[in-house]
Amino acid sequence: MVICGDDGLAHRLGVTLDAVCGEAVTVVLPSRREGHAPEIAALHRDPQSPVELLVAARPDEQTLRAAGVERAAALALTYRDDQVNVTAALLARTLNPTVRLVIRMYNRERGEHLERLLDRAVSALGRTEDTALDMSTTVLSDTDTAVPELVAAAAVGQGDTLQVEGQVFRGVVRPARTPPQSADLATLAVLSGAHQDDPASEDSPETPGEEGTQLLPDTVTSYHRQFTHGRLMLEEVTQHHPPEAPPRDRRGYGAWLRDRLAHLPWKVFLSHQVLAVFGALAAIVLVLAAATALAEPGPLWKSVYLPLLDIFTMGDPATDESPARRVLQLIAGFVGLAVLPLVVAATMNATEAFRKGSVGHPPAEDVHDHIVLVGLGKIGTRVLAQLRTTAHQVVVVERDPHARGVALARELGVPLLLEDAGAPGVLDRARIRQSRSVLVLTRDDGENLDIVMAARESNPQVRVVMRLYDDDFAATVSRTMRASYPDATTRSRSVSALAALPFAAAMMGRHVLGILPVERGSLLFTTVDVAGHPELEGRSVHQAFRANEWRVLAVGAAEETGSTGSPRSTDTLGSLRLDRPGFDWRPSHGRMLRAGDRVVVVSTRRGLDFLMTGVQPHPTEPRT
């Protein structure tokens, strides 16, 4: 497999493909010194890692040929320049029509057009008859692929995630002697005694042998070891249903209207600026009214009415009146020229502040055990949409009233504070002390860290999840926060770390939905058509299970393939999924698998090779 790029995503992707997936990898670097090139070069120097390096200024035809694209199974283009990625993808498709292309794109609309264009190119180059090959093109955004991990971390804590059909699943460790939970779907592994917390952590020791971690164990092994060993379970995090708007009609429109009017920021019209300007105007009117009453005795209302007309230049010229009246009219006119701009400015400022404040909707006093989401940018909006598919309440803090997620928050009826989360008292108004988790997704790493530290001061036990751009900074922050607050959960992940697994899964083929690291190995989630498959067709779900190799998780109807023989499998968030709903994630063990079915299978890499090729692979030799 070939990777072109030198940033954090390219580095993480190389590590994942090599260490987790066991693939041979060639990385094309623009330079050995810039970006994450030194870390990638360190992989090349590691004798246990077969990562090869090629230094080239740009991914032109000569570079791609030298990298071996003509015989590669997959090519990942992770440059930050969309145009460079598009040009390289077109060249690669010409050099090798069967190569799987995984392209990082920031312009999502352009990415959709590129997918269709490159998939049609396979047909134009005469390779449509070879349906056994997965000649797919997958366009992903690294920020979008991080959404399921962030949602799961905020909602339920640690654990690598998988997104299928808009639902989010995660691998969660259940301690020994813990009964199954209602959200648990299947046992993925029985852990060794060394893994009671997180078998996918970077410092997990490898424990081979009968007493080590057993992937996809049989019933006997699982039963006898669950009392002394932890289990890695597949847990359902979200349900696939559209979020519901707040039930206004159930409590009556009048009650809803009174509630909304009570929360409107009427106090902005009593700000110091407004009071000062209108107070000065009232004082001037009183002085001119007193002078008018002395110059021309008459009713009190007339003494006030005439200066007001003069200030607002609405009265007739006092040419036929006394000299004193004419002088007062001129003075009132000059005063109006000076004061009216201040009155207009103060009114407009107050109106704008009222408009901004009315967009927000502070949480009720009884809100508790909720998730505080800070930041409604590109990724924050998608996180909000998926969090609303869980049973958790959400309170949003966003300082920009024009942020893309503000309209969605209002539509969903989510409590929204349009304020700076770093300002004193804002997190308290979001009821951070009563919250379950805080999810910080602003664009600035330093600001994210400031907000998290403020949240920790207010609620030392709150679960913290923050997105950071710098990989090393994220690791340092995570270690420091865990050391400072050992009893609380802190997840500090860079976007590149979150995106590496979905990119690696796409490089392995569209049928691969996701990868779950376990120790030095991995479990792969794939889709397989039952028709004609000797290990699946005509068997029950229980009979189709093979210990330590694969397990059927879900059953649904088979979908039609496209022109390249590969089903479409990218959703609007850029995460890998199936195109069509209707999968049963809790099939009975006696459910028979028929030709019209399509199944979601979790397998080891050895089991996947057998499922896809029908050839029993030789035992894997350990690395030396």
Side-chain angles (χ1 to χ4, degrees), residues 286-303:
L286 290 177
V287 171
L288 292 176
T292 300
L294 292 176
E296 293 188 1
L300 179 61
W301 67 267
K302 186 176 181 180
S303 299

Side-chain angles (χ1 to χ4, degrees), residues 532-553:
H533 203 296
E535 298 293 331
L536 300 175
E537 188 175 2
R539 302 188 181 211
S540 66
V541 171
H542 176 70
Q543 292 169 339
F545 166 72
R546 179 174 290 193
N548 308 123
E549 295 201 9
W550 67 73
R551 180 192 300 277
V552 174
L553 294 177

Side-chain angles (χ1 to χ4, degrees), residues 7-344:
D7 63 352
L9 176 58
H11 174 234
R12 283 279 184 170
L13 186 53
V15 172
T16 301
L17 289 173
D18 170 35
V20 177
C21 303
E23 299 287 345
V25 182
T26 297
V27 182
V28 179
L29 299 174
S31 168
R32 285 183 178 269
R33 295 182 176 85
E34 297 180 0
H36 286 256
E39 291 92 336
I40 298 174
L43 292 177
H44 174 62
R45 292 191 296 269
D46 185 351
Q48 295 185 351
S49 174
V51 174
E52 298 294 335
L53 292 186
L54 175 64
V55 179
R58 56 180 182 173
D60 54 17
E61 182 176 347
Q62 181 179 356
T63 300
L64 293 177
R65 288 183 184 274
V69 168
E70 293 171 294
R71 59 186 183 277
L75 167 66
L77 298 164
T78 67
Y79 297 106
R80 294 186 177 274
D81 189 328
D82 283 1
Q83 186 173 350
V84 173
N85 289 336
V86 170
T87 304
L90 295 173
L91 284 172
R93 181 59 84 211
T94 304
L95 295 173
N96 184 357
T98 67
V99 69
R100 287 190 294 272
L101 295 176
V102 181
I103 309 165
R104 177 195 215 171
M105 294 283 287
Y106 291 91
N107 188 318
R108 298 173 65 194
E109 183 177 356
R110 181 188 299 169
E112 293 173 2
H113 292 315
L114 183 64
E115 273 196 15
R116 291 192 290 267
L117 173 65
L118 292 175
D119 282 347
R120 290 194 189 103
V122 176
S123 176
L125 292 169
R127 301 308 297 262
T128 55
E129 72 281 359
D130 193 351
T131 57
L133 296 174
D134 183 4
M135 299 162 287
S136 62
T137 303
T138 306
V139 177
L140 298 174
S141 165
D142 51 348
T143 54
D144 288 342
T145 53
V147 169
E149 179 85 9
L150 294 170
V151 170
V156 291
Q158 66 184 12
D160 291 290
T161 62
L162 168 74
Q163 181 180 0
V164 181
E165 293 185 321
Q167 295 174 248
V168 178
F169 305 88
R170 70 157 185 162
V172 58
V173 175
R174 300 294 184 208
R177 300 179 178 86
T178 301
Q181 305 296 312
S182 59
D184 292 345
L185 297 178
T187 300
L188 301 180
V190 177
L191 307 178
S192 68
H195 297 324
Q196 298 300 318
D197 296 319
D198 186 4
S201 62
E202 295 181 358
D203 56 353
S204 292
E206 189 172 10
T207 53
E210 294 184 358
E211 292 303 316
T213 295
Q214 301 292 315
L215 301 180
L216 304 176
D218 55 37
T219 304
V220 175
T221 302
S222 179
Y223 177 80
H224 285 292
R225 294 184 61 188
Q226 65 176 314
F227 299 103
T228 56
H229 297 71
R231 289 162 294 156
L232 180 62
M233 306 293 294
L234 183 67
E235 180 188 65
E236 190 175 20
V237 176
T238 63
Q239 299 291 333
H240 184 57
H241 61 79
E244 297 181 357
R248 300 175 184 173
D249 53 340
R250 296 179 185 175
R251 56 196 183 109
Y253 180 78
W256 172 83
L257 181 61
R258 287 192 299 271
D259 181 64
R260 286 296 296 158
L261 290 175
H263 285 96
L264 290 177
W266 301 107
K267 63 181 181 180
V268 299
F269 293 110
L270 300 177
S271 64
H272 295 296
Q273 183 187 61
V274 173
L275 293 177
V277 170
F278 280 90
L281 177 62
I284 293 172
V285 170
L286 290 177
V287 171
L288 292 176
T292 300
L294 292 176
E296 293 188 1
L300 179 61
W301 67 267
K302 186 176 181 180
S303 299
V304 177
Y305 179 66
L306 290 177
L308 284 174
L309 292 179
D310 296 334
I311 289 174
F312 292 106
T313 65
M314 298 172 59
D316 295 328
T319 54
D320 298 331
E321 300 185 35
S322 65
R325 171 74 184 103
R326 292 197 293 270
V327 171
L328 287 175
Q329 188 177 58
L330 290 174
I331 294 174
F334 281 112
V335 170
L337 290 176
V339 175
L340 286 184
L342 299 177
V343 173
V344 173

